Structures are given as structure tokens and as C-alpha cells.
Amino acid sequence: MTSSSTQPAGTNAAAAKCKGCLCPGNPCQLCRLPPHSDDPIPENEPATCRAIREAVPPASFQPGENEYFSNLDKSTMMCIRSGGDVIPNTRRVPGYPARVYCKPDLSRR
């Protein structure tokens, strides 16, 4: 656990008030759709996210580019096939830059 002195002001309060998957610390272990080359691969990556990344290699396409939409379609299908839920990100909260995320089925570790 980190001390509150090393975190930005208000971080603990914001995390305490946040409910759902798009909260600080990624409580639902969401993965970005489509996978982006800038995203770090977590050590304890859920099987669903790993399957998506293997089927749709991470790229740096931006929304609006043809390749982005193709990869979004492929990664969305893979999320659903792997038992995950697709979550649109309409609020663009800090730490969640993508428009769409996959919420993996964490029981399938």
C-alpha cells in the first residue's frame, strides 16, 4: 500500500467515491478494444485479454482510421467469444483513454 503523500491530492477520495469498472486501479481488469501498442501488458493479465491480444495484435491506429475499425470489430468479437462483456466508455475518465473496453470473465483464469 502506498502512502497518501505519494499520490496526487484527491486520489484516495476519488477512488473511494468511484463505483463500477472505470475506477482508479482498474478493479475489473478491463482491456482496451482494440489493443493499443502503448498499453502495458499486466503480469496477471486475464485469459480473455490475452486471447484478444493474440488474435488482434496491438497497433497504434487512431479512431477514424479504417484499420482501427477493423481491429475494433475483431477484438470485440474475440471479447464476446471469450466470455467477456463489451463496455463503452462514454465519459473518458482519467486512466481510461479508449472508447471501448472488454470486461473479462475473471472466473476463467
Side-chain angles (χ1 to χ4, degrees):
M1 186 168 182
T2 58
S3 71
S4 60
S5 63
T6 61
Q7 296 184 9
T11 301
N12 291 336
K17 291 180 182 178
C18 187
K19 294 180 181 174
C21 289
L22 295 171
C23 290
N26 197 6
C28 297
Q29 296 184 327
L30 301 177
C31 45
R32 188 175 184 173
L33 298 180
H36 198 275
S37 56
D38 290 346
D39 293 337
I41 299 170
E43 287 181 28
N44 59 346
E45 182 179 41
T48 302
C49 296
R50 186 173 36 259
I52 293 168
R53 195 171 32 78
E54 289 170 357
V56 183
S60 61
F61 304 121
Q62 297 300 313
E65 296 180 25
N66 289 338
E67 295 86 355
Y68 170 83
F69 291 114
S70 174
N71 283 1
L72 178 60
D73 290 346
K74 291 175 191 172
S75 60
T76 298
M77 287 187 292
M78 197 65 204
C79 174
I80 294 167
R81 284 183 188 148
S82 299
D85 293 320
V86 177
I87 299 177
N89 180 13
T90 57
R91 295 183 292 150
R92 299 293 196 304
V93 295
Y96 296 94
R99 294 178 179 191
V100 184
Y101 285 89
C102 178
K103 178 184 175 187
D105 179 359
L106 297 178
S107 67
R108 293 181 164 200
R109 286 248 167 212

